[in-house]
Each structure stands twice: as C-alpha cells, then as structure tokens.
Amino acid sequence: MQGLTHRWIFRDHAARGGTLLERVLAARGMTRHDASFREPRLTDLHDPSLMPGLDAAAERVISALRARDPVVIWGDYDVDGVTAAAILYRLCRAIAPDAPVRTFIPHRIDEGYGLNAAGIQSLAVAGARVVVTVDCGVTARAEADLARRLGVDLIITDHHTPPASPGLFPEAFCIVHPSMPGSAYPFRDLSGAGVAYKLAWRLATLASGSERVGESLRNLLIDLLPFAALGTIADVVPLLGENRIIARFGLQRIKATPFIGLRALIGAAGLAGEDISSEAVGFRLGPRLNAAGRMGHADDALELLLTDDPRRAAQLAAELTRLNDRRRAAEIAITEKAVALAEHAGMTRDDRRAIVLAHEGWSVGVVGIACSRLVDRFHRPTILLSHDGETCHGSCRSIDGFDIHAALEACAEHLETFGGHAMAAGLRVRADRLDLFADAFTQHANDRLRPSQLVPSLGVDCGAEIHELDRRSVGGLMTLAPFGRDNPPPAIALRRVRIAEAPRPIGADGRHLKITISENGAALRVVAWNWGARREELRAGAIIDAVVEPKLNCWRGVDTVEPTLKDLAIVGR
C-alpha cells in the first residue's frame, strides 16, 4: 500500500490472532516463548576463543603486558573505534597498571582512516613492540608489511568487510575478525567495539589463569559493557544476536557507570538520571563523541572515556557539545547545498539511481552525515566528497538491497582507496578520475536498482484497533527494545480511523503536529514529527489509514500512550 511518504510492506499478513505483542512477534518470526530474544542473558554471548585469531592475539598481548613491552592500541575516530580503544586500554591497565600501554588515533583529515605508514613508523621509533588495531586494518597490507619489517607485532582486530580472497589479507601477526575465511564463529555482525570486548574478555581469562574471571576483572568487564553498547548502536550494526545482548545490558548499566567521563557525557547531553535508550545514544551521546573526530581530533573523545579527573571530564564533555553544535551547523549547510546540486544535475530522477557529488570546502568529517540526510530524502545510494586540489575524499551511504562496498569494488579501477561495509564506506578518488568514477558508479546502481526501490519502504508489523494501544500493551512491546537496525520499533497499522479535530501545530516554528484520531469511541493523540507542512491536507473528519510507532511518554512519573506517526494514507472524507 502507498502512503503519503512510504510504500507500506506488511511483514506477515498472517499475524492476526493473539495479543498485540504476540502479533508483532509472529510478524517477526517469533513467539512469546522466545525468551532468548525477549530476555537475553550475558551467558548467551559466545566463547571469545571461537573467533579466528583471537586466542593468538590475547596471548601475545598478555605476554607483552607481563614483559612490560610497549603496547599501542590503534583506534579509529568514530564512536565505534573510540569505545573499542577505551575497552582494551582499560582492561590492559587493570591487568598490568604499570605496563607501558598507550593509545593512538589518526587525525581524520591529516591522516585518514585506518593504519598509515607514517604512524607505524613513528610508533616503532618510539619503541612500540605490539600494535593492536581496533575497528580498522583488515585491508592494510602495505602497513602490515612495514610493521613486520620494523619488528612490530601488528594485531588487527576489525569487523569491516574483509578482502575477497585469502591472498589479499594483510600479513599481520594475527587478524581477529568474525568473518575470516573458514570462520566458525556463530555471529558475524559484531561492531568493532564488540570485537574489542571479546578480546578484552579473553585477556581477562588469561590474566585470571582460568575460564572463570577473577572478581575485579569480572566487575570491570560488566562496567565496560556501556562502551561496547555505545559502539554497537552508533555503528548501526544489526541489533540482533550478540549485538542485542551487548546493547541491552550496556544500556541497563550505563546510568550507573563508575566512569567519570561517561557520566559527564551523559550530563552534557541532558540525560542525567534518565533511562537511556538506543535512540538517545544515536541522537545525543553518539553525535557528541563523533564530533571530536569530525570537527577536531578524536583524542578528546577517547580522553573523556579514560579520564578519572572530574574537572577534566566536565571540560571535555562541554567541548564535545560545542563541537557537536558546530558539526550540526556544517551538516545543515552541506546538506542544503548537496540537495540543490543533486536536483540541478538530475541525480534525483528515476533514470539516475545514485548521487555522486564533490565540492570544495565540504568538511570531510561531516559529509558522511550529510550523505545520510540525502539518503533519507531521495532514497538512493549517495556519495559526497570534499574536493581538495587533486584529490576528492569523502563518504557514502546506501539503502537496503544495495551493497555499497561491493559497488565500490566494482569501480575500484577509478579509486585510490576505499573501505567499509554494505551500508557505509569511505573513499578517495583523484579529481581527474571523478567523472569516470561517478559514471561507473551510477551505471552500477542503475543496473541493480529498480525504480520501486527508490521509494522508501515502511515495514508494518500488524494491524490493531485504537483501544488495543493501552499502557499495558505498549509496555509489552517495549520488551523488544533496544531498537535499531534489523530490530526496528514496532510499526502498527490503524485502519479507517478518523481525524477527530484539526491537527495542532507544535514546536517553535510549527514544524510538528499533534493529531487526535478516533475509532468506535476510543481516541488517541499521535505526534507527527516534521509533518507541519502537510497540515492543510489533514482536515478534521478525514478517514485515514495510519502507521504509528507505539510509545510511552513519561511525565511526572505517569506513563501515557503517545505514538509517533510514521505515515498515513487518506482513504475517505
């Protein structure tokens, strides 16, 4: 069915009987008895030793810590990379407080993503014996060769798409990756922080001399779950399996975190004392941590997660908030310019199923977010690049059903470097090859995307009547949280309900609406974010089909049901 903004796809037309929760579960291929999903346990996490390369990595790191050999944890500048580095650093320091362990994160603009030769060289000169990457490195062949020549044991831990054949992997001391060739690891979709957490777990068992971790390290592993949850949620990996367990328990623990920096971050985001959801991570905590790497240096974000000084934590949290405000302003400017350029160039028509743009002055740290905004608006793969002299450097985002990493591989002859996964990646292309690359990428998208895929789809779990959306039923649906990729919030269809009165604008500029709908004497108030421009279409008395996301709004300790509108179709007057 076609709504005003989306094509509706019902997940399971047979999900009719039972309670609202049971119908939603049935639509997702589960029953109310699927306790492993609704009530996951930490003991459901897989044995770290099942992951390829992990035991070898843990044994080498433990050996270095015991010998007091210098160890460097090489992170990445996004939330996933920063939290992964914080996890390993805190665990290593707990095992050997006086061991020479340090962190290193490259500068996004000056050094770029992942490993680089200059960084490896400088660390080797400074005496590093072991370098452990987190959230990067699985394609860094030249850097691995350099590390080996310099006598540095390079341990790569990563989760990004690995090379297509075994012969293309870096020749590192070892590679820890859930999707290595021949891997028997049961879950392949961990984030970089998830992989780092598994390595930390194994380090703890080795340090304890037993599969049963000692009490102090066990408590630390529990305390580190919020870091792993932040990386998992912010990196938009599927919130299923192990990721769901990490996110669920990490979010439960985050409000009581003993880490001063994390508490300062929560306070700066206005979340102190609140239950923190995956949505709060995605829109309030994650962007602040990311802002350091986008607008400055990610060292500030990592320092915040590692500091034990309350005053310094407050300073850093305030600085990240300021950087996030600057990032937001830059994002708006880039997005508005990119929208105008894409429309002018005809890249939003059905015969051009991808957007590829480059422009001078665009911040490399912000173009990825602007990509996401264009994908939201035009629903097609988008690449935005900062044109800097002879080189264009930037990011890309995709839509479901289009593997953007595979698309870049198909166009690799035109690229200098690229890396990422199916939904997001980074790339660099010479300016004199940009047009050739744009044409090749667009043709690849045209060959693989149907026009119908350029219309955003909205998955609908099941239908319901208004009276079913009471506090108890909606509370039951909340047991499916945390929500995110591959585990979206429930979407419920309300058929042939009436708009009871003229929608009321809310917000300073009237961008949003509150709409009261009714059915058989039952009424429900729905919040419609960013629907203000459609107010005139939504007249009192109109009969609509609506898709809503059920939510509980807590005000002064009282929960009320206040769903948000996802889409609607006017079916009568």
Side-chain angles (χ1 to χ4, degrees), residues 161 402-412 418 421-422 425 441 444 448:
T161 303
F402 185 82
D403 186 332
I404 208 156
H405 187 272
L408 295 179
E409 280 188 323
C411 306
F418 68 93
H421 47 74
F441 185 88
H444 184 89
R448 284 158 180 80

Side-chain angles (χ1 to χ4, degrees), residues 146-176:
L146 175 61
R148 189 173 61 255
R149 292 197 302 271
L150 295 173
V152 174
D153 286 341
L154 177 65
I155 296 171
I156 293 172
T157 81
D158 203 352
H159 75 116
H160 291 95
T161 303
S165 65
L168 297 177
F169 280 82
E171 294 186 24
F173 179 86
C174 63
I175 300 176
V176 181

